[in-house]
Amino acid sequence: MPHRPHQVIFQPEGKRISILEGVSLLEAASRAGMVLEAPCGGNGVCGKCRVIIHENAPQPTETEKSIFSADELAQGWRLACQCVVTAPMTVTVPSASLFYEQKILMDGVAREVTLEPNIRKDYVDITPPTVADLRSDLDRLSDALNRDGRRLRPSLDLARRIPAKLRRNNYKVTLVTEGGELIAVESGDSTARNYGVAFDIGTTTVVGMLVDLSTGR
Ligand code: FES
């Protein structure tokens, strides 16, 4: 017997579509122009494609029983990818189940960490060279940092720009180092502006946080 079409209404938008029996609600929603969250590809694993079916809700699958409480199942909560259209249905799609809904995580669980950024900023105010003190600019900067006698290692391009930078700024500059490597020389004291971005890349969520590398906040 050929599959019969049934009308499915998606709320709160009120979108209506005529869908053949046997098509999943996830597919029906997509054809109605409502793309639902489905990071597991409709395999009933992620639990993101949650909807409420107000009439003719099918019997819950074992997966749905493991995801929803008995009360929720009684209210019609189902996974759109696990339900096929077998009769006319009215379905509410919560905004959290919509793919395009932007979600901004504003809070989370924090723990104490020791602040040890690989990028450091140090302000130095060095004396200009004189006849009595003929150290190179790089040696002056290394001595000013006073890091166990270690010499700074800039790239060749940066090394070429350091002399002019120092003289333009009256020998008052901020050194930006990554490990022992000098990666930038900034004008004046810019130590108050030292930021990093931390990312937590999960399976379904990406969270980024701007961090002040000087204070950890
Ligand atoms: S799409 Fe993942 S559970 Fe439905």
Side-chain angles (χ1 to χ4, degrees), residues 26 36-50 63 67 78-82:
L26 187 66
L36 271 58
E37 288 269 20
C40 74
N43 287 311
V45 176
C46 67
K48 298 280 185 181
C49 60
R50 298 169 180 225
T63 304
I67 288 178
R78 297 288 188 277
L79 296 175
C81 69
Q82 299 297 296

Side-chain angles (χ1 to χ4, degrees), residues 124-176:
V124 293
D125 180 355
I126 62 174
T127 53
T130 62
V131 175
D133 181 1
L134 293 174
R135 286 173 300 156
S136 70
D137 287 341
L138 201 53
D139 282 346
R140 278 167 201 290
L141 293 175
S142 297
D143 292 342
L145 268 192
N146 192 25
R147 290 221 192 128
D148 309 325
R150 278 181 291 160
R151 303 288 90 182
L152 289 168
R153 290 181 283 113
S155 66
L156 180 59
D157 177 56
L158 179 58
R160 285 183 176 136
R161 288 184 281 121
I162 285 175
K165 186 88 176 184
L166 282 176
R167 283 152 186 82
R168 262 204 315 275
N169 290 282
N170 204 22
Y171 293 88
K172 297 173 175 41
V173 292
T174 297
L175 305 179
V176 186

